[in-house]
Amino acid sequence: MPIEIRPVRVPAALGTAESVEFERMVELATAIEIERWGDDRFAFTAAELLAGARDAYRRRRFFAAWDGDACVGRATADWEDAPGATAGDVVVEVAPRYRRSGLGSRLLATAEGVLNELGRTVFGAFVDLPIAALDAPGDRITAPQGEASIPASLPSVRFAARHGYTLRQLERQSGLDVAGRVERFRAALAAREASGYRIVGWVDRTPDELVDGYAAARARMALDVPAGGLTIDEEHWDASRVRAHEAQSLGGGRRLLVQAAIAPDGSVAGYTELELPPGKRLAYQSDTLVVAAHRGHGLGMRMKLANLVLLAQLAPDRETVYTWNADENEHMLAINIALGFEPTGISGEWQRG
């Protein structure tokens, strides 16, 4: 029986006849994460992926490859739904025994076809590599900026290059053991309190009086962070999108811990966000940004320390925090190293067009 690729419908609810294919696709994605990392630390649950599929600002379409009733591959196309946007991203994953059969190329063409129909001209893809994989022998590839490199011989790297994608940025992935370290974080934060900026934190929902300023700061994320050689679409953020982001996270069972730096004029000068995925003993450090006009005051470190203290208070069972930073982002990397983060892998960001 030939392998069939077809769209995966986003179900109204999980645990129904309508959701069977969606949930099998998630099971495959989880199995591949476990193959890559040895556990499910970065795997999305079906509830998380379903909540993300309903994002009205970042659109997604899913496809899966089927050998009878078995899901043996998947592809996703996602893109910023905004006027003037030119880029979109693809994800392609294939079960081990079906690799090197051409199935990955078929799935990639399917996902790229969605972006082509939208008129997008820049296609992006991500390749996650555990630190052990970085020691593979042979030639290495570097990004336009930064000092890190990855082996050219790895299958995922060869696949991306063969399909015309070039490496545009490398992100260092790092982990921090936070168990039993809250007093250290609290003391370090207290030593940095003298400043004209206030640090304000919240859980899950942004205070109404800060939501507009927070949205304005989040809009700077796509513009102010180091982009290497990437083409990044501007993101429109307002209070409605902030609320949608919060609802989406909570709808998938993921909690949000946020700290913001408030400037003397009352504007949001920066923010940092920790995500607490359901059923795991870890947290993800997602965005951290200090708006360019407010840099040089130690706000990045203060916000991160405040959020680590909050994490220990709210979820003491969370033992590890993972973060991702552009290899050329020397300032943020220095903060993470000072906090005690240690390398765990690299994410390669590729684009074509």
Side-chain angles (χ1 to χ4, degrees), residues 33-76:
E33 288 295 324
I34 293 172
E35 175 197 3
R36 181 181 294 126
W37 297 103
D39 54 46
D40 67 349
R41 72 187 73 175
F42 300 130
F44 284 75
T45 66
E48 288 176 293
L49 199 60
L50 179 58
R54 294 169 175 163
D55 191 331
Y57 299 90
R58 187 80 186 179
R59 300 290 188 177
R60 293 170 176 82
R61 286 190 62 188
F62 303 99
F63 301 88
W66 301 91
D67 187 355
D69 292 333
C71 180
V72 299
R74 74 173 190 118
T76 302

Side-chain angles (χ1 to χ4, degrees), residues 43 50 82 194 205-206 245:
L50 179 58
R205 183 178 172 83
T206 309
H245 169 67

Side-chain angles (χ1 to χ4, degrees), residues 93 188 217 238 269 273 337:
E93 293 179 324
D238 56 15
E273 180 183 68
I337 291 170

Side-chain angles (χ1 to χ4, degrees), residues 21 46 102 148 202 215 217 232 245 314 345-346:
E21 290 195 349
W202 61 85
I232 300 178
H245 169 67
L314 183 71
I346 276 186

